[in-house]
Amino acid sequence: MKIKTPKTDSTLKIYLEEKRTLVEKNLLRLLGPSGEYPLTLYQSMHYSLFAGGKRIRPILAIAASEAVGGMTEAVIPVAIAVEMIHTYSLIHDDLPAMDNDDIRRGKPANHRAFGEATAILAGDALLTTAFTLLADQSLWDNIPSDRVLQIIHEVGLGAGPCGMVGGQQLDLESEGKRISINAIEQMHIKKTGALIRASIRSGGIAGGATETQLLALTDYSERIGLAFQIADDILDVEGSVEETGKSTGKDVSQNKNTYPALIGLGESKLLEKRLVNEAIEAIEEFDEKADSLRRIAEYVVERTR
Ligand code: GRG
């Protein structure tokens, strides 16, 4: 079947910019100023949180909520929480004990700017703050508490040992070995896909999705999560430090298990396009309120950073 997607780049650009501003305004409001006590800890949290990320997970949560008719404001706690969790994972991923990276979001990695111990604590603090905010009843606008509880559970699953943290462990264990394409897929479904899935599902739940809508959003999220990771692997080969804001070429030099390494660049590009089409197909029953989700699906593989 031929899938129709709205092709207006400028519409997406405006949408992403508008939502990014909304997310950043609320991150600042809910985290508080960087001058809080203990000063260095808050400065370190602020440093990474406001270093210029794309905010794709919170934007996906907002777009999922809008797709099912939810109010944008109602999903703010989810948006803020998933961005804090994502930022914590980047801080920890860059540590010498993990990926040992010096550049993140175009700036020295947190541990390079604040030292290893503070970087660990800033990550811990962002993770715990995310759940503190999710569990803060006063932030939820007319959302029943059973739905809030379901969201907290969803985000915990996506971030924890059966999601992102588990995927990171599989990644560590696969270092220096050639693993199968199935094993790579499993690793990425957890490491990158699980938090993206949780962002989209939680956005849908906050927006009041029906069971059928939630299943469709889940299908969409799983394809987008994998496509996002393949795009990331391709950017490591084809992108530049200036464009991506992080070290590139590391996967190849470190002989990492990536899609381009296992199936080649051409096949990787075909696979990411197929996943995007399948994602758009998964939400074909949704009306025009899901157009942002459709546009974001294409952006995920067309982005240059
Ligand atoms: C340390 C628990 C723990 C987990 C780390 C997310 C992660 C798991 C590691 C990051 C390594 C990596 C390059 C993963 C590939 C996909 C990915 C998550 C890229 C970075 O996310 P973007 O592109 O970054 O959304 P910005 O900076 O735009 O937010």
Side-chain angles (χ1 to χ4, degrees):
M1 181 194 309
K2 181 94 190 79
I3 315 289
K4 235 176 86 200
T5 49
K7 284 246 184 274
T8 36
D9 276 3
S10 61
T11 312
L12 178 66
K13 233 173 144 187
I14 294 166
Y15 182 86
L16 293 177
E17 199 42 54
E18 193 185 294
K19 301 306 177 201
R20 200 178 297 133
T21 306
L22 178 74
V23 168
E24 287 178 359
K25 191 184 91 188
N26 281 285
L27 279 171
L28 195 58
R29 177 174 71 89
L30 295 170
L31 180 63
S34 72
E36 292 276 313
Y37 181 77
L39 191 61
T40 311
L41 180 63
Y42 275 93
Q43 282 174 340
S44 172
M45 292 160 80
H46 269 256
Y47 176 83
S48 292
L49 202 53
F50 297 103
K54 293 182 288 297
R55 317 301 192 196
I56 194 70
R57 294 156 192 79
I59 294 174
L60 279 166
I62 293 169
S65 171
E66 290 174 351
V68 297
M71 302 289 289
T72 307
E73 291 297 327
V75 79
I76 291 298
V78 172
I80 278 15
V82 295
E83 186 61 24
M84 285 186 179
I85 293 170
H86 168 60
T87 304
Y88 121 74
S89 81
L90 298 180
I91 296 174
H92 282 193
D93 186 61
D94 290 339
L95 287 168
M98 301 243 186
D99 237 16
N100 196 17
D101 245 310
D102 290 337
I103 306 173
R104 175 64 67 178
R105 292 178 164 173
K107 290 167 64 172
N110 194 295
H111 69 98
R112 301 291 295 171
F114 291 88
E116 227 178 302
T118 299
I120 293 171
L121 292 177
D124 293 344
L126 284 167
L127 174 61
T128 43
T129 304
F131 283 97
T132 309
L133 292 172
L134 278 179
D136 184 341
Q137 194 75 57
S138 71
L139 298 180
W140 292 98
D141 205 14
N142 289 326
I143 306 238
S145 46
D146 60 336
R147 235 195 270 171
V148 173
L149 214 50
Q150 197 187 344
I151 289 170
I152 296 174
H153 187 235
E154 197 71 50
V155 175
L157 285 176
C162 58
M164 184 178 72
V165 174
Q168 181 76 349
Q169 180 66 28
L170 293 178
D171 196 3
L172 293 177
E173 287 171 6
S174 75
E175 261 171 37
K177 298 179 200 151
R178 238 331 143 232
I179 59 173
S180 70
I181 195 75
N182 279 349
I184 286 205
E185 192 175 299
Q186 281 314 307
M187 174 174 92
H188 291 323
I189 284 173
K190 291 181 185 296
K191 190 177 99 166
T192 310
L195 192 60
I196 290 179
R197 184 181 188 270
S199 305
I200 294 168
R201 278 180 53 90
S202 300
I205 295 165
T210 63
E211 274 307 310
T212 313
Q213 286 175 323
L214 201 53
L215 281 178
L217 287 174
T218 308
D219 279 351
Y220 168 92
S221 71
E222 289 173 352
R223 271 134 188 114
I224 285 309
L226 202 50
F228 188 89
Q229 178 61 52
I230 299 172
D232 203 75
D233 285 356
I234 294 173
L235 277 175
D236 187 77
V237 181
E238 295 189 330
S240 64
V241 186
E242 292 72 31
E243 267 184 322
T244 61
K246 59 186 176 186
S247 319
T248 51
K250 267 192 89 175
D251 294 345
V252 178
S253 66
Q254 294 181 348
N255 204 18
K256 283 230 175 188
N257 288 293
T258 65
Y259 277 88
L262 250 85
I263 60 173
L265 259 180
E267 277 300 312
S268 302
K269 287 181 182 178
L270 286 177
L271 179 57
E272 63 173 6
K273 295 234 159 55
R274 201 184 76 215
L275 288 163
V276 167
N277 282 336
E278 286 173 5
I280 294 169
E281 207 170 28
I283 52 169
E284 68 184 348
E285 295 296 322
F286 288 55
D287 65 16
E288 72 286 348
K289 291 196 292 304
D291 280 354
S292 299
L293 277 185
R294 298 184 176 100
R295 291 190 184 100
I296 296 172
E298 297 192 328
Y299 159 79
V300 157
V301 300
E302 281 161 13
R303 69 199 167 97
T304 55
R305 61 183 279 253

